[in-house]
Amino acid sequence: MLIAGVGAIALLWTTPASAQDSDAAAAAVQQVMDNLWLVIAGCLVFLMQAGFAFVEAGLTRAKNLANIMAKNLADMAVGTVAFFVIGYSVAFGDGGDWWGGLGDFFFNESADPAVLNEGGGLTDNATPAASFFFQVVFAATAVTIASGAMAERTKFVTYLLFSVAMTAIIYPVVVHWTWGGGLIAQMSIGDAVYSDFAGSTIVHLTGGIAALVGAAMLGPRVGKYAPDGSPRAIPGHNIGYAVIGVFILWFGWFGFNAGSELAADNLVPFLAMNTLIAASAGVVGATAVIWKITGTPDVAIAGNGALAGLVSITAPVGAVEPWAALVIGFIGGLIVVFAVLGIDRIRIDDPVGAIAVHGVCGIWGTLSIGLFARYDDAFLGRENAGLFYGGGIEQLAMQAVMVLVVAAWVAVTCFILFYALKKTLGLRVDADEEFEGLDVAEHGTSGYGVETAVVH
């Protein structure tokens, strides 16, 4: 009787109905895992805001610590509100190739709890709530990139308005043109379509161009350049903060890149591995070249080398082999040193090297797909798309077109925005406030307390 009972259960278990139930259960578990991974990855990207705050604070002067922290806090808070009210709809609405529209204004089409608990976000499994959570922290990252380049001389109220415009309109339009299926996503050159897995261009070049325009229109800090135009070093006050910030960003980047798979699957460890390899190679490359140039292994440059490797691998992370990730990260580390020095020579004052790290290396990472793409990363639609794998020049050309379109949009809109702010509220504090420090001038207190304030 026991044997017969076991046999009957086994027979029932193998019936089509049982198999269908098993498949449905597996699909339900996968949906939960996918959404859980999106939230975890979003939390990692959220933590990157602390990394940016530490890097920027460490590479600037002590008298501006509170201001740096206030701007990074505002980027997340103001950015979330603006992206919730307008930005998400502009990015992922159905308004057409150019503009997502305001159909999802205030996230209203996804406000029903029943919808929030079903699929239908960025993927079939992702809920709208998980999709919003993951995307809004990317928006905050894009705007905070500019914070460091504009540090130590920008009016706080002006910066707040810039943050609103970036997260409500400028960045969401870039997202709509790409991840939202709009203008750039509709382009092709031969068999080549754009690819930017986690945002070397969409996030980092967008932030880097905004940083470039903002720093150029602000002008350099008082005393940054000698009368003959040669740059003077203005050292940051705490290299320990900067290195801690790099490690926090590095840690958060595993969510940035691996989370962009938008699913908990077997590609996630591969993405994390490529991210780690490229960042490490970036440190090696940047340290080697600055050691050769100056005779010393500059710690701040080494930290920027890690960030350069991370930015460089962000676009190609799902398309390249691990050896290529090492090469891409290493070249990113080399590029960032020469970019930092070159930007300084043309009298654009960027206290933390954000333009070089996010702008220049963002371009390199995006173009590297046209050279090294081996796998279909769900954007490319084909294997061996890179020039070095016999894919021809088309993919490289398509990547270049994407870079140019995004750079032009961000440069023009940011110029208009900063010009309008300059003519109305003003962009920068006056010389006395800059000398006193933005902590006291803008926030009424020193970041380290009045008794221990360092003003120089």
Side-chain angles (χ1 to χ4, degrees):
M1 290 176 63
L2 177 63
I3 293 172
V6 170
I9 292 171
L11 182 63
L12 289 171
W13 187 258
T14 58
T15 61
S18 298
Q20 290 173 1
D21 290 344
S22 177
D23 290 344
V29 170
Q30 184 64 51
Q31 183 178 31
V32 171
M33 293 299 294
D34 289 349
N35 282 281
L36 181 61
W37 169 234
L38 268 184
V39 172
I40 292 171
C43 289
L44 291 174
V45 179
F46 179 93
L47 185 62
M48 290 172 68
Q49 206 71 34
F52 280 114
F54 269 101
V55 169
E56 293 167 22
L59 295 179
T60 54
R61 289 168 288 186
K63 61 186 179 180
N64 298 304
L65 173 69
N67 178 256
I68 293 291
M69 295 299 175
K71 289 195 297 182
N72 280 272
L73 181 62
D75 285 337
M76 181 54 68
V78 173
T80 296
V81 172
F83 197 72
F84 170 73
V85 174
I86 299 175
Y88 186 82
S89 184
V90 171
F92 296 105
D94 297 325
D97 290 348
W98 291 87
W99 172 262
L102 299 178
D104 212 9
F105 189 62
F106 271 98
F107 203 52
N108 56 18
E109 289 188 359
S110 304
D112 185 345
V115 176
L116 292 173
N117 290 312
E118 297 175 357
L122 298 174
T123 66
D124 290 339
N125 267 358
T127 66
S131 298
F132 173 83
F133 184 82
F134 187 68
Q135 288 297 322
V136 73
V137 290
F138 273 58
T141 297
V143 68
T144 208
I145 288 167
S147 172
M150 299 165 64
E152 301 200 303
R153 73 264 201 211
T154 306
K155 286 185 176 182
F156 187 62
V157 66
T158 301
Y159 183 81
L160 290 178
L161 293 174
F162 159 72
S163 184
V164 170
M166 273 287 286
T167 48
I169 302 295
I170 298 173
Y171 169 75
V173 167
V174 175
V175 173
H176 183 73
W177 288 354
T178 50
W179 295 333
L183 178 68
I184 295 172
Q186 301 299 319
M187 295 179 179
S188 63
I189 298 177
D191 292 332
V193 294
Y194 96 97
S195 174
D196 189 352
F197 192 87
S200 286
T201 283
I202 297 168
V203 179
H204 295 281
L205 180 59
T206 295
I209 295 295
L212 174 63
V213 176
M217 294 190 70
L218 276 166
R221 291 167 291 175
V222 174
K224 172 60 181 175
Y225 295 98
D228 64 358
S230 59
R232 295 180 176 132
I234 302 180
H237 83 283
N238 195 323
I239 195 64
Y241 280 3
V243 174
I244 290 170
V246 168
F247 276 117
I248 294 173
L249 285 168
W250 195 336
F251 178 72
W253 228 289
F254 295 122
F256 204 96
N257 283 359
S260 293
E261 171 64 359
L262 307 179
D265 59 25
N266 288 333
L267 187 60
V268 168
F270 177 81
L271 300 170
M273 177 183 68
N274 273 357
T275 301
L276 177 64
I277 290 169
S280 302
V283 175
V284 174
T287 304
V289 73
I290 198 65
W291 204 337
K292 175 67 175 176
I293 292 172
T294 66
T296 57
D298 186 281
V299 180
I301 289 293
N304 269 344
L307 302 183
L310 289 164
V311 171
S312 298
I313 199 59
T314 295
V317 64
V320 301
E321 296 178 282
W323 71 264
L326 186 144
V327 173
I328 291 167
F330 183 81
I331 293 174
L334 301 181
I335 288 172
V336 77
V337 177
F338 294 109
V340 166
L341 297 176
I343 290 166
D344 214 12
R345 289 195 189 100
I346 62 174
R347 295 175 61 86
I348 294 177
D349 183 14
D350 179 357
V352 304
I355 301 167
V357 168
H358 300 278
V360 179
C361 291
I363 293 172
W364 158 239
T366 304
L367 295 179
S368 71
I369 293 175
L371 302 174
F372 295 100
R374 165 69 179 83
Y375 308 115
D376 177 11
D377 60 358
F379 289 95
L380 294 166
R382 58 198 174 114
E383 304 284 319
N384 301 317
L387 182 64
F388 297 154
Y389 291 90
I393 200 71
E394 291 87 359
Q395 191 63 52
L396 185 61
M398 186 63 236
Q399 297 301 111
V401 168
M402 178 175 79
V403 166
L404 292 173
V405 171
V406 171
W409 161 254
V410 179
V412 170
T413 52
C414 282
F415 176 82
I416 294 170
L417 173 64
F418 284 125
Y419 184 82
L421 291 172
K422 186 174 184 177
K423 293 298 183 181
T424 52
L425 297 174
L427 288 180
R428 64 182 294 163
V429 299
D430 62 38
D432 290 339
E433 291 175 322
E434 184 177 340
F435 179 79
E436 183 182 19
L438 272 63
D439 287 3
V440 175
E442 291 283 278
H443 305 281
T445 186
S446 168
Y448 286 104
V450 175
E451 296 82 2
T452 57
V454 179
V455 180
H456 58 279

